[in-house]
Amino acid sequence: MRRRPSTPRAWRTARRALGGLRFRWSAVDRPISVDGYRERARRALPDMVWSYVDHGAEDEATLRGNREAFARYRLESRVLRGQPPESLETTVAGRTVSLPVLLAPTGLTGLAHWSGELGAARGAEGAGTLSVLSTSSTWTIEEVAAGTEQDHVFQLYPFADAGGVRGGSAELLSRAARAGFGACFVTVDVPVLGNRETERLRGMGAPPTITPGRALDAARHGRWTYRYLRHQRVSLRNLVPEGGSVAAVESVARMAGLMNPRLGWDDVAWMRDHWDGPFYVKGILHPDDADLAIRLGADGVVVSNHGGRQLDQARASLDALPAVAAAVGSRGEVLLDGGVRRGADVVKALCLGATAVCIGRPFLYGLAVDGEDGVRSVLEIFREEIYRTLTLMGVSTLAQLGPQWLAPADGAVSPFPLLAADAADPLPRR
């Protein structure tokens, strides 16, 4: 009769078999991709707020198109290069950033997390890059400047007050300059607010509409609701000084009244003349507009369709990028936002002429999940993915990137020239 193994022996055997493994209550401590952060952000936010963060205008064709544009390209690769990238640094607005990814300006960021734009800027600093502060922020220009160590970028909505667009813009530009913001992005694709139907259907109209079901949904998201009630970072603090729901409704109504459909290029020229620092025009999709912006003195342009939140059926940002980059040439920098979710997306944009990209929704997902630390984590995910992608492609510097590294996803003959052979024969002599 066989003897049953003793408990100590069985335990030793189990330890040898399982000793190298790690045990946790859940599979991962934090998400490992932007999509992972998106899933957690969806669970963290009430449905009303999620509609604001994640949805777009009308049929959301442009919102989808931004992602689909990246899927139309594949990346070339060269093997046995032996030179992984030593640095992902690039220069934007005269500042060196540790990776070619900035945080795009997003309005009412405090809806995602009470730390809002301040938390986002601190997360960007922690990752060695820049944040672009929206005029429609839930922390004032001065609060963000005082709470950060670096000079970030200010984004201007050229609002028109009683003194016209120049009077309304002059005050904001002056405040940003006094606070120490070194560069300015002026957004020109919001003459009126886009028709964001999903937001309206889910209660995020002007004013927001609360139903018993929406109140219950907020109660189910107790952590978000507690922070909302405690911090009240939901109003446009650059327009009204107070927080809370009343101020939020007042500030959004005021912003809508300040929109200026008569904005023209002469106004942009005036803003350029009244900003002493790097100046960018954001919302460019046509090469002729890019040329005009540079000729008026802009240091660069941002190829953007406002994340699919303004003109539905507009071109995808990536589709517009090559022609805009060609129009700008060496006269200025070209940034891109819209649809960037992976490090490979960043690489594709750089291949098509971008200096760097700006991300909006991805950092909002991180912010919603874990505040400042979540923003930094999302940026580190991009860093790791960019580095890995370049290494697998056989690219050692960002300067090597160009359209020759792209191929059509459908397998058609590439319209771009083939990769040039190395100047030096890589084979060793025998």
Side-chain angles (χ1 to χ4, degrees), residues 14 27 71 85 88 92 111 185 255 312 318 349 361 393 427:
L88 300 181
V92 178
L111 283 172
F185 286 17
M255 181 185 74
D312 200 24
L318 192 73
R361 290 182 179 90
M393 290 171 63
L427 294 180

Side-chain angles (χ1 to χ4, degrees), residues 126-175:
T129 190
L130 297 172
S131 175
V132 185
L133 177 67
S134 172
T135 298
S136 303
S137 57
T138 55
W139 292 72
T140 67
I141 296 168
E142 294 78 10
E143 286 176 319
V144 174
T148 53
E149 298 180 0
Q150 304 296 324
D151 296 335
H152 291 274
V153 181
F154 175 64
Q155 175 265 340
L156 173 70
Y157 278 124
F159 294 146
D161 64 6
V165 64
R166 299 181 183 183
S169 300
E171 178 188 357
L172 290 167
L173 289 173
S174 178
R175 286 175 60 187

